[in-house]
Amino acid sequence: QVQLVESGGGLVRPGGSLRLSCAASGRTFSNYAMGWFRQAPGKERELLVAIKWGGGNTVYADSVKGRFTISRDRPKYTVHLQMNSLKPEDTAVYYCAATPSNVLVTRARDYNYWGQGTQVTVSS
């Protein structure tokens, strides 16, 4: 079983920054797709960024492109999400996800494994 654990959430002022981390264990990720998602109360879980663990193209949601950046620490099986210029509307629970795939995966329902989520609150 693949296990994913998010960390790094918290309270931040508008315009501030946070870096989220997602540590994976239980399986190698050479043929996996991964993504970061968020879900605010009463809203659908939305894609923020999708990658392939082995590298290649990266897809960002329009709402975060230019502000959020994904990175990978392959020896530690960890992915990070650097979030800059945060806005109150970024407030949500943030999740990392993974699934076996040789292509990018952009829909939440297509992911097999999920972390527990980490709360990000941007105060107004």
Side-chain angles (χ1 to χ4, degrees), residues 14-27:
S17 298
L18 285 173
R19 191 174 83 148
L20 307 182
S21 298
C22 175
S25 63
R27 192 174 299 180

Side-chain angles (χ1 to χ4, degrees), residues 27 73 109:
R27 192 174 299 180
D73 187 341
R109 62 182 177 180

Side-chain angles (χ1 to χ4, degrees), residues 43-111:
K43 297 184 178 180
E44 293 185 7
R45 190 166 298 187
E46 64 172 327
L47 174 74
L48 303 175
V49 56
I51 65 167
K52 292 171 63 180
W53 179 251
N57 203 8
T58 304
V59 175
Y60 289 89
D62 289 340
S63 60
V64 304
K65 192 171 185 178
R67 298 190 299 126
F68 292 10
T69 304
I70 193 169
S71 62
R72 290 158 285 184
D73 187 341
R74 291 181 175 85
K76 296 183 178 180
Y77 290 94
T78 301
V79 296
H80 305 281
L81 184 67
Q82 179 67 45
M83 306 187 297
N84 299 325
S85 301
L86 285 163
K87 307 172 182 178
E89 50 263 45
D90 294 319
T91 296
V93 177
Y94 284 67
Y95 300 89
C96 65
T99 197
S101 179
N102 58 6
V103 297
L104 290 171
V105 177
T106 59
R107 297 190 299 191
R109 62 182 177 180
D110 293 331
Y111 278 89

